Amino acid sequence: MTRACWVTLFCVAWCCALAHAQTVGSTQVLAPLAGALATPARGQQNIGFYGTDLDSITKHGQNLHILFGDTWSNNMGVPIGAIADDSVGDISLSTFPDGDSVETWISQHLPSEGVPSWHASAPPVTFRLNATGQVAPITLYRGGLSGTLLNTGLYRTAMASFSNARADSSGASFAIYWRDVTTECSGGTSPHCSVGTCDTGTSPPGTRTRWC
């Protein structure tokens, strides 16, 4: 979290637009939001979450809805799932409605003396869990829940998200995913994939595939 306030202005003009000078402020690292040094939410100290990368954040009802990319279950880099390894968590906007509330929390949860200041406690992220109480991977299906489970493992992740939820969180959140998959391209072409790079070095030997 930083002191930076992100403001996006969308301006549409038929003839011309007047551009105003912008000032770039400084960024200060305050605390880790995710990873081994993150602050676990209440009751989520042992959910098999060690580290992850950040992909997309959107406001969903009364929460900041965070889609994380490849997520590890331990310090050995074991993913939380073989087919799907991305995760989702929320920060309560009721508890943390603005930047001042975040900074107040951090100032009240500073690290011990001699420990780097950025090891302070950040607002906890509450992760979605599976039936065994471990962090649940995001699963995508083609054709609904009874359809085909799509591979969203390593390097396949959510690129953007949005929500149509009202203040009471009724509604849905959505994600746009990036998935690289290989398809056969015998002779360097494929009826299923017109773009991409044909790779002749895949397994088994002699197989030609194209990244789509």
Side-chain angles (χ1 to χ4, degrees):
M1 305 299 291
T2 72
R3 300 174 186 270
C5 177
W6 297 88
V7 179
T8 304
L9 301 177
F10 293 91
C11 300
V12 178
W14 287 103
C15 297
C16 61
L18 178 62
H20 297 279
Q22 301 294 313
T23 301
V24 178
S26 61
T27 299
Q28 178 184 353
V29 178
L30 299 180
L33 184 63
L37 298 176
T39 303
R42 180 175 297 180
Q44 293 197 346
Q45 288 80 3
N46 299 296
I47 62 173
F49 171 78
Y50 181 81
T52 186
D53 53 15
L54 178 62
D55 280 297
S56 182
I57 301 177
T58 188
K59 182 181 182 295
H60 181 65
Q62 291 300 307
N63 293 303
L64 281 181
H65 202 53
I66 310 174
L67 301 182
F68 293 100
D70 302 325
T71 302
W72 292 1
S73 62
N74 57 34
N75 62 354
M76 300 299 292
V78 176
I80 60 173
I83 301 299
D85 66 354
D86 304 326
S87 57
V88 60
D90 293 285
I91 295 178
S92 170
L93 290 175
S94 298
T95 306
F96 301 100
D98 51 33
D100 289 341
S101 60
V102 172
E103 292 193 8
T104 297
W105 168 276
I106 294 174
S107 67
Q108 294 174 348
H109 298 81
L110 296 175
S112 303
E113 185 177 353
V115 177
S117 62
W118 60 270
H119 285 202
S121 173
V125 177
T126 301
F127 284 87
R128 184 172 65 86
L129 306 181
N130 60 22
T132 63
Q134 300 295 288
V135 59
I138 301 171
T139 51
L140 302 182
Y141 293 85
R142 177 178 288 122
L145 293 177
S146 60
T148 303
L149 176 63
L150 299 178
N151 188 323
T152 54
L154 191 64
Y155 304 130
R156 300 178 174 97
T157 187
M159 301 301 294
S161 62
F162 57 97
S163 169
N164 68 357
R166 299 175 176 85
D168 61 358
S169 296
S170 62
S173 61
F174 305 84
I176 299 174
Y177 248 77
W178 173 15
R179 292 195 331 112
D180 282 337
V181 295
T182 57
T183 60
E184 184 178 355
C185 56
S186 177
T189 62
S190 170
H192 307 293
C193 181
S194 60
V195 296
T197 302
C198 194
D199 183 0
T200 60
T202 56
S203 180
T207 300
R208 296 170 65 84
T209 59
R210 184 180 295 273
W211 284 99
C212 303

